[in-house]
Amino acid sequence: MPLKHLHPQPEPRTARASSRKTIPGPRRILIRLLSACNLHCHYCWDHSSLTPGPALPAHMVDLNTVKNILDSAARWDTEKIILSGNGEPTLHPDFDAIVAYADKKRLALELLTNGTFPLKQLPLMARIKSISVNLSAANKNAYKRLQHPNAPHLFDNVITNLGTLARMHQKYRQPELHLVFIVTRPSYPHIPDILALAKNMGIPSVLFKRFSPTPATRSLSLTDMDHRHLTALINEQLLQSWPLTHNLGNFQPPLKKSSRVTHIACLAGWTELSVEADKRVGFCCCTTSDLYVGDLKTNSLEEIWYGSAAERLRNYCRSGINLKKHPRCRECPPYRYDKLSRHP
């Protein structure tokens, strides 16, 4: 099925998806700077306190490699660089230098953080266009239960940083500031509390995200009864006038496993690149071992983007991703096209 039939109004990059012509560079590049984290959020894929076994292997993208990525992004006129991690990106020893180099290259940065960074880094945050702070607890007790059982004092750091960032946003309109709240069985009753916290602190946006479980964290998934309670709670909040933006009005559950949808067309291969902390490269943040298209230890980012492995994966995306083989794609809202997908 040609991809042009799967996307009603393709933008310039995705318009090339059905033409097989040379494509421009990615619109967005995600860089997972390192694998270390100072929290153990229950719902985390990598550092959940519910996950048994050893910690993730220590990986980090070194400063020179990051600079090479940013140089490629500048040549491609990439719209956004997302600094993230399999942990907390601000723990990278060269984080300040990375932000300064991106600023020198006039690249727009988005930071995904848990908000625990030290106060000395706050002036640096003014150079970042958008900051999303992962906070799924509105008070210290809930934070202790959900995000770090051994360091509840970090909640105070997060609140202090949020207050400063909110004042910066109100005065300078930068950085854009968002709270990110992961909706799990223990956290969803706190939705009104996180909205009230954002309102009181002058935070302009709250993004509610679906929880994607691992085998170790499946107990945090919402039950059918929880879904009913969540729907009622959302309807209550929609009746209120909040002086901020949120996405509760279109908060939807993922495709159920019983759905007849078997394949999903994906456009990530024409718009995205994702660099892991171990320097492997894929198209999106949910890349599995068979979906990587290269490694920065052996090739440059541009060689990978235009390489044969990337083209083979684009062909797979063009024909439709098999949800049985890649079930995590079922959870992905940006590139999910239910009405355009193939059925048996």
Side-chain angles (χ1 to χ4, degrees):
M1 184 181 296
L3 194 57
K4 63 183 178 182
H5 294 237
L6 301 183
H7 198 274
Q9 292 182 328
E11 54 93 31
R13 283 180 171 86
T14 57
R16 306 292 183 90
S18 60
S19 69
R20 300 181 184 271
K21 295 179 181 178
T22 301
I23 59 173
R27 183 199 302 164
R28 289 178 290 267
I29 299 176
L30 170 72
I31 310 174
R32 298 187 190 275
L33 291 177
L34 76 176
S35 58
C37 194
N38 57 344
L39 295 186
H40 296 286
C41 302
H42 281 10
Y43 44 78
C44 181
W45 289 346
D46 302 307
H47 299 280
S48 172
S49 56
L50 301 176
T51 302
L56 280 180
H59 293 296
M60 182 177 68
V61 185
D62 60 272
L63 178 60
N64 285 336
T65 300
V66 175
K67 285 184 174 181
N68 289 337
I69 295 169
L70 298 178
D71 288 340
S72 294
R75 286 191 290 271
W76 279 326
D77 198 22
T78 296
E79 295 174 13
K80 183 188 294 184
I81 304 295
I82 304 170
L83 300 180
S84 179
N86 296 107
E88 172 52 33
T90 62
L91 295 176
H92 194 290
D94 294 311
F95 181 77
D96 294 19
I98 290 168
V99 173
Y101 194 77
D103 189 49
K104 177 183 176 182
K105 291 289 181 176
R106 299 182 181 275
L107 292 166
L109 287 181
E110 178 178 351
L111 173 65
L112 310 183
T113 174
N114 61 29
T116 61
F117 50 81
L119 291 175
K120 66 180 182 180
Q121 285 187 328
L122 276 168
L124 190 71
M125 300 301 163
R127 296 184 176 187
I128 297 174
K129 183 177 181 180
S130 176
I131 298 177
S132 296
V133 178
N134 185 343
L135 183 64
S136 299
N139 59 64
K140 190 177 292 188
N141 288 334
Y143 192 83
K144 179 179 179 179
R145 290 196 309 273
L146 297 173
Q147 297 199 237
H148 202 314
N150 299 321
H153 64 279
L154 289 175
F155 179 78
D156 295 328
N157 294 20
V158 176
I159 295 301
T160 298
N161 288 338
L162 281 173
T164 303
L165 291 172
R167 290 190 292 274
M168 289 168 61
H169 172 79
Q170 290 164 4
K171 185 172 182 179
Y172 304 110
R173 313 312 300 173
Q174 187 170 314
E176 298 172 8
L177 183 59
H178 313 274
L179 284 186
V180 177
F181 184 100
I182 310 299
V183 178
T184 63
R185 191 176 189 189
S187 72
Y188 84 85
H190 299 282
I191 286 176
D193 300 327
I194 204 72
L195 287 169
L197 176 71
K199 173 186 175 182
N200 294 335
M201 297 192 71
I203 297 169
S205 171
V206 182
L207 176 65
F208 295 93
K209 296 186 69 173
R210 296 189 306 267
F211 169 59
S212 182
T214 66
T217 61
R218 204 169 299 281
S219 62
L220 303 178
S221 299
L222 273 65
T223 65
D224 289 342
M225 182 174 291
D226 291 327
H227 277 291
R228 290 193 290 271
H229 291 164
L230 175 61
T231 299
L233 188 151
I234 287 175
N235 289 335
E236 290 175 6
Q237 302 311 308
L238 293 177
L239 292 175
Q240 300 192 41
S241 178
W242 291 100
L244 50 85
T245 61
H246 61 74
N247 64 330
L248 286 178
N250 56 9
F251 187 80
Q252 299 292 334
L255 288 171
K256 294 183 178 180
K257 290 187 177 179
S258 59
S259 169
R260 293 179 61 241
V261 175
T262 61
H263 294 71
I264 291 180
C266 177
L267 299 179
W270 289 266
T271 62
E272 317 290 317
L273 264 182
S274 177
V275 179
E276 299 293 324
D278 63 3
K279 300 186 182 180
R280 289 182 297 172
V281 178
F283 285 148
C284 77
C285 62
C286 294
T287 299
T288 54
S289 58
D290 61 330
L291 294 179
Y292 288 107
V293 295
D295 193 319
L296 289 175
K297 293 191 288 289
T298 55
N299 294 97
S300 72
L301 198 63
E302 289 168 77
E303 289 171 336
I304 292 171
W305 178 253
Y306 295 114
S308 58
E311 185 56 30
R312 284 194 299 271
L313 186 53
R314 290 188 187 102
N315 288 335
Y316 176 48
C317 294
R318 182 185 284 113
S319 62
I321 291 176
N322 186 324
L323 291 178
K324 185 175 182 180
K325 186 177 180 181
H326 298 105
R328 186 175 285 181
C329 297
R330 192 180 293 272
E331 311 281 339
C332 179
Y335 306 105
R336 194 186 78 192
Y337 303 113
D338 304 16
K339 64 181 179 180
L340 306 169
S341 304
R342 296 185 301 175
H343 299 260

